[in-house]
Amino acid sequence: TPATVMSIIRLSLIGLSSRVFVLALTFVSSVVIARGVGPAGLGEYFVVVTTAALVATFCDLGLSSSAVVFSGERQRRVGVIGLLLLGVAVIVPLAVSTSIHALYPALSMWGHSPLAAAAAILIAPMTLYNNYWTFMLVGRRQIAIANAFQCVTYVVFTAFLIALRVSGRMSVSSIIAAHVAVFGAQMVAQAILVAVWRAHDAHMAPASPWSVLREMLRFGLPVYPSTVASVFSLRIGILMLAAFHGTFASGIYSVAFQLADKMLLIARSIQDAIYDDVIALRGSAAIAALNRYMRASILLFICITTAGILAAPVAVRLFYGPSFVESTLPLQVLIIGSALFGLAGLLSTYFVGQIKKPVILSAIATTNAMLAIGVNRLLIPSMAANGAAFAMLITQTTAFLATLIIYVRLAQTEFRSVLMFSEGDARDLRAKIAARLAVWRRRADV
């Protein structure tokens, strides 16, 4: 229905508005870094951050999912949960990272760069605890505080980068030092707020941290493999690029990866908007609603994808400069893959919110991770950044097709009902837009 389309646009914009500022700052920071240290420098920094993100994901143990649920329960001592997660975020990544570097130096991508190795080990706990802390605030329905923390952190970090660029002191070392300092300060501030929560929880019945941890692990571990597999399939290409072609190729690819990743923000916002509707309905009504959302979303993604592909050559040269012109083709390829991956995410609401079978998504994600290893290993040695982009497109297309086929079969619907924006949809949409324009004209006349 036209109301469905307008509802998607309106609710998606509401979801987007809380993230646009941080996205703008991350974009500015990436441009400043790219202009300051070039493709090789950007690639080295990006691989450090990617390594830290992978370590953090591996060490999550499903506790992010538990943090949402447990922090939202009134009888829980949230301060205890926060301090418990702080301990996990510090101890587990440091133990895992140092063990890997100590036991398997031949496999370490950072054997030639002790600074990068140390930076990845330091940044991983910050990344992990920020994830825990954000999910805790989601559970407490205090997402505005999380957004405020993110905004302040990225404002300060971007200001540091601009100061380094203007002063002529920008280097990979100084960028990493700024990252560690700023995000380390954020972690300290988050820990202080958790300590305040613990003081407010003093009147509640005492809770054993170990029993709470066991309970949270029992709840979160079932979804843990899916999360690891999903992040791994998206990031493995970056590390393989660094291994086969060095940080210059990683820098070229990182620009495309970061810009295309912004498209997933649109999908996440739509997913947030439709999730409550999907779980509130039952049976054929839920399937019909999700099909309408999918048809409207596909039309929206076609428009955005086409615009992004056409604008990519100009955008890359304008913002990042001639040295990053090789990022254009990877960006165009990744834009298509991101659109398909985002649509798969929309369909996933059926498996989680309707039939309560996230294990299907876990199976798809695990299969996709294994596929990602193979296609990246096959394409990257000969095609460098372009190979990484096409490998990503293959894995994201596979994920979308697998999710779509399983959804159509389990929901007992038709591919046409999910994919084809019908004449009736178009007619209703035109009528809705015409009615909205008429309202605006009347207001203007008044």
Side-chain angles (χ1 to χ4, degrees):
T1 65
T4 298
V5 178
M6 299 306 295
S7 176
I8 286 177
I9 295 173
R10 183 175 64 255
L11 293 174
S12 299
L13 288 175
I14 293 173
L16 278 170
S17 63
S18 65
R19 300 167 179 144
V20 164
F21 185 62
V22 170
L23 275 179
L25 290 174
T26 57
F27 172 72
V28 171
S29 64
S30 70
V31 171
V32 172
I33 294 172
R35 293 280 187 172
V37 296
L42 176 62
E44 184 170 0
Y45 170 71
F46 191 63
V47 175
V48 168
V49 175
T50 298
T51 303
L54 284 172
V55 171
T57 302
F58 180 75
C59 298
D60 181 273
L61 304 176
L63 293 175
S64 291
S65 301
S66 301
V68 176
V69 176
F70 281 62
S71 299
E73 296 176 352
R74 292 183 179 274
Q75 70 273 21
R76 298 286 181 183
R77 298 190 64 174
V78 181
V80 171
I81 295 174
L83 292 178
L84 179 64
L85 293 176
L86 177 61
V88 173
V90 171
I91 295 172
V92 177
L94 291 179
V96 169
S97 300
T98 52
S99 298
I100 290 174
H101 285 282
L103 299 176
Y104 304 103
L107 299 179
S108 173
M109 300 186 64
W110 299 113
H112 65 284
S113 178
L115 171 65
I121 292 173
L122 286 175
I123 293 172
M126 302 174 193
T127 303
L128 180 56
Y129 191 63
N130 185 56
N131 292 341
Y132 286 157
W133 190 81
T134 301
F135 279 111
M136 286 182 63
L137 287 177
V138 171
R140 290 171 59 87
R141 293 173 177 79
Q142 295 177 334
I143 191 63
I145 297 177
N147 289 337
F149 263 76
Q150 276 197 321
C151 289
V152 171
T153 300
Y154 279 99
V155 165
V156 175
F157 182 56
T158 305
F160 263 101
L161 294 177
I162 294 173
L164 289 172
R165 182 78 174 98
V166 171
S167 66
R169 298 178 179 177
M170 176 168 279
S171 65
V172 177
S173 300
S174 63
I175 294 168
I176 291 174
H179 187 115
V180 171
V182 173
F183 287 87
Q186 174 187 254
M187 187 175 182
V188 171
Q190 291 168 337
I192 291 173
L193 184 58
V194 167
V196 172
W197 291 343
R198 188 181 184 187
H200 288 168
D201 293 343
H203 66 281
M204 300 179 68
S208 168
W210 297 114
S211 63
V212 173
L213 179 60
R214 284 194 299 270
E215 197 173 349
M216 293 180 72
L217 286 172
R218 202 160 42 239
F219 180 88
L221 280 175
V223 300
Y224 169 67
S226 173
T227 304
V228 173
S230 297
V231 175
F232 183 82
S233 63
L234 290 174
R235 307 273 182 170
I236 186 61
I238 299 165
L239 301 186
M240 282 195 178
L241 264 179
F244 284 104
H245 297 282
T247 56
F248 182 91
S250 296
I252 293 296
Y253 181 73
S254 70
V255 167
F257 182 88
Q258 292 178 82
L259 291 177
D261 188 58
K262 304 299 183 286
M263 179 171 289
L264 293 180
L265 175 71
I266 300 171
R268 294 185 195 108
S269 298
I270 297 174
Q271 192 172 0
D272 292 344
I274 72 174
Y275 184 76
D276 288 342
D277 286 348
V278 173
I279 63 174
L281 299 172
R282 285 291 177 268
S284 59
I287 295 168
L290 183 55
N291 288 351
R292 287 196 299 271
Y293 283 125
M294 279 294 297
R295 294 197 300 269
S297 299
I298 288 171
L299 177 64
L300 178 64
F301 273 108
I302 288 174
C303 297
I304 295 173
T305 300
T306 303
I309 291 173
L310 295 176
V314 176
V316 169
R317 183 177 290 273
L318 176 64
F319 292 109
Y320 291 92
S323 58
F324 285 90
V325 70
E326 294 179 40
S327 300
T328 301
L329 179 59
L331 173 57
Q332 292 171 322
V333 172
L334 290 179
I335 286 174
I336 299 172
S338 294
L340 293 173
F341 195 68
L343 291 172
L346 299 185
L347 287 175
S348 70
T349 56
Y350 174 77
F351 302 103
V352 176
Q354 247 333 282
I355 62 175
K356 313 296 184 186
K357 290 184 177 180
V359 66
I360 295 175
L361 301 179
S362 297
I364 294 173
T366 303
T367 304
N368 223 37
M370 292 187 289
L371 176 64
I373 296 174
V375 292
N376 276 288
R377 180 63 181 85
L378 179 66
L379 298 179
I380 284 177
S382 59
M383 298 176 64
N386 292 340
F390 279 106
M392 179 79 82
L393 176 60
I394 291 170
T395 56
Q396 291 178 323
T397 302
T398 303
F400 170 69
L401 292 177
T403 307
L404 174 64
I405 292 170
I406 295 173
Y407 167 73
V408 167
R409 182 171 180 178
L410 294 181
Q412 297 182 342
T413 186
E414 297 179 349
F415 287 102
R416 178 183 295 273
S417 300
V418 182
L419 302 175
M420 301 299 294
F421 193 77
S422 66
E423 292 182 8
D425 291 333
R427 184 171 54 254
D428 291 342
L429 178 59
R430 286 195 298 268
K432 185 69 175 180
I433 293 174
R436 182 61 58 90
L437 290 175
V439 171
W440 287 344
R441 290 194 193 99
R442 286 196 297 271
R443 290 176 179 175
D445 292 340
V446 174

